Amino acid sequence: TRSSNEPSRFTTEAAPAEVALDLTTLSVESVQAALRSGLLTAERLTRACIRQIELYNGRYNAIIFNNEAAIEDARSIDRRRLAGEALGPLAGVPVVVKDPMDMVGFPTTAGWSLLYSKTGGVDLFPATDSPVVARLRAAGAIILGKTNVPVLSHTGTHADDSWAGPTLNVVMPERVPGGSSAGTAAAVGASMAVLGLAEETGGSIQNPASAQDLVGIKPTIGLVPNAGVMPLSGNRDVVGPIARCVRDAALCLDVLAGYTAEDPKTLAGVGKTPARGYTSKLSEHALKGARLGLFGAGWRDQPLSPETEELYERAQKELKALGAVLVDDPFQGTGFAALRQPTAPLPNFDARGMESVPYDLHKYLERLGPDAALKTFSEFAAATERESAFAPGGVLSFMHTLPQFVASLQSPTVPPDLSEFVALKEAYLRIIEEVFEAHQLDALVFPQMRQELPLAGKGRTIQETTVGEINIAGVPGVTVPAGYYGSGAPFGLIFVGKLWSEAELLALAYNYEIGTQHRRAPNLQA
């Protein structure tokens, strides 16, 4: 594997003249069918995606490192197919990977200039792939490169402070792109790749997916391993796919989910995955009779904007027309909303569960291997001292207001006391379970944001409806496009369920997706 930090320049040989592919309509299934039939080769598709990157990445800045081995990887898939070898479920499918996920041959920079040698920092080269990257490779995916994030993935709104510069929203460049998986969403939205890997601690899958009119899966914590991914919280971090349609996201989740000894949390997911995969329940009738809880003050005591309310009411009519039964504010009177406490001085983000980040970073650095430039949290802190993330003004300076963080910072090699977080998680899960049982709910369905996307560069953050609640509880959510504001900004829904309910949520989102067909390809500008 070879990397390049000039994403607009791949080393390619001239390809023969071919009929242009419409990359905006490609799905995993259509790619696999075309590859099996011989109408398409993995090499041709990879070259087409590279041309798309060369045409548009200079503007949108989605991909920050190119995999210069991508064409040879595609040729290998083509050779193996011709030889009759058994191939993985994503064989020949172009994908991108979020920068904090370890990938051999590439530095893991987490968007920070201090963790990249070409911007005056230290390179962290992993000795092995993260499990999710290894699973993509084993499935035959063609990894085109790594995508942009803000410093240490600290915000769910943008990637403006990345060493690589801002990522633009491919739907509305003047609006924020969502974060921290801004680059992954932009790459998939701009049809540079069919699929992308994202990760969420506090909105980093659902926000960019909704912001750029895409499908995102924020899985149950423990379903997908996050070992080998630079952490913000070992207790909240989850890896999941971003895609242009629900079926593609489900097929990617099939590849990502499952146990690995590298991440003991994944033992909890054994027996929780559907025997026939995450597409097995997809149906045009999944919403018929489904009982769905609606957003209200019982969930979070924050109102929707008037236009969001109008779009949500329209979505409710669509859901009813597809057979769903809607339940108004099922959390009313449960005390659920009172559990939420934004972490000072942040006005809207509840960071509890992130107290362990020094310990989590220490364990991450240990995994990098014996030749890593930094091997301990103490070395990490020294290497980044001039712009410390935890010092006043640093991107994670708010962590000091969490009572159990300071002890973790002082003793980063000692497993931290997370008793307060555990009690909070238990309270969230208990109420969710009780509400689902009392109202016989199949899922919740909310507008993913309370108001439309803010303008970029103005210092405003995305106002979501589920960040914190589902991250602390660890329950899954699936975002799906649901229309547009008058400005043209995307409006999205999020289906939220109990632990391990991804297959059911995907079925509901799929039925809504095919029943409404709201998403349209963005009007890209080179």
Side-chain angles (χ1 to χ4, degrees), residues 86-333:
L87 297 174
L90 297 182
V93 176
V95 304
V96 290
V97 171
K98 186 176 179 177
D99 174 51
M101 301 175 187
D102 285 352
M103 183 170 165
V104 171
F106 295 79
T108 300
T109 75
W112 203 359
S113 62
L114 299 184
L115 297 179
Y116 186 38
S117 62
K118 292 186 179 180
T119 52
V122 176
D123 283 330
L124 297 179
F125 280 100
T128 56
D129 289 333
S130 58
V132 289
V133 170
R135 288 174 180 182
L136 283 183
R137 292 192 196 276
I142 308 302
I143 301 177
L144 298 175
K146 299 187 79 178
T147 59
N148 201 21
V149 296
V151 172
L152 288 180
S153 301
H154 74 94
T155 173
T157 297
H158 59 74
D160 292 352
D161 56 6
S162 168
W163 63 261
T167 291
L168 300 188
N169 186 323
V170 301
V171 179
M172 293 190 76
E174 68 273 18
R175 304 274 174 159
V176 297
S180 59
S181 307
T184 291
V188 174
S191 302
M192 299 176 193
V194 174
L195 294 169
L197 292 198
E199 183 204 16
E200 173 155 330
T201 309
S204 293
I205 295 173
Q206 54 176 301
N207 282 359
S210 289
Q212 303 199 50
D213 213 20
L214 298 165
V215 174
I217 304 174
K218 180 269 173 204
T220 301
I221 190 164
L223 180 66
V224 177
N226 60 297
V229 183
M230 190 174 290
L232 273 178
S233 169
N235 317 295
R236 291 175 49 155
D237 294 350
V238 288
V239 174
I242 286 180
R244 292 191 292 271
C245 66
V246 172
R247 186 178 291 274
D248 280 4
L251 290 168
C252 189
L253 187 60
D254 281 337
V255 169
L256 300 178
Y259 171 75
T260 172
E262 284 206 78
D263 186 350
K265 293 191 306 296
T266 56
L267 186 63
V270 173
K272 303 296 197 302
T273 56
R276 294 185 294 116
Y278 283 101
T279 62
S280 60
K281 296 187 178 182
L282 302 188
S283 165
E284 61 183 15
H285 305 297
L287 282 165
K288 190 171 183 179
R291 294 179 58 82
L292 306 177
L294 299 178
F295 181 79
W299 172 271
R300 186 192 291 184
D301 193 11
Q302 287 184 327
L304 306 178
S305 74
E307 191 174 3
T308 302
E309 192 71 63
E310 290 177 9
L311 288 165
Y312 189 34
E313 288 174 358
R314 187 190 71 184
Q316 290 174 45
K317 292 176 182 177
E318 293 168 334
L319 290 162
K320 287 180 181 178
L322 292 165
V325 177
L326 305 183
V327 179
D328 286 331
D329 196 4
F331 287 84
Q332 186 176 10

Side-chain angles (χ1 to χ4, degrees), residues 410-433:
Q410 292 172 343
S411 303
T413 63
V414 178
D417 175 10
L418 292 172
S419 54
E420 293 182 14
F421 168 73
V422 170
L424 175 64
K425 181 183 180 78
E426 183 179 7
Y428 267 125
L429 286 171
R430 183 182 298 113
I431 296 175
I432 289 172
E433 184 70 32

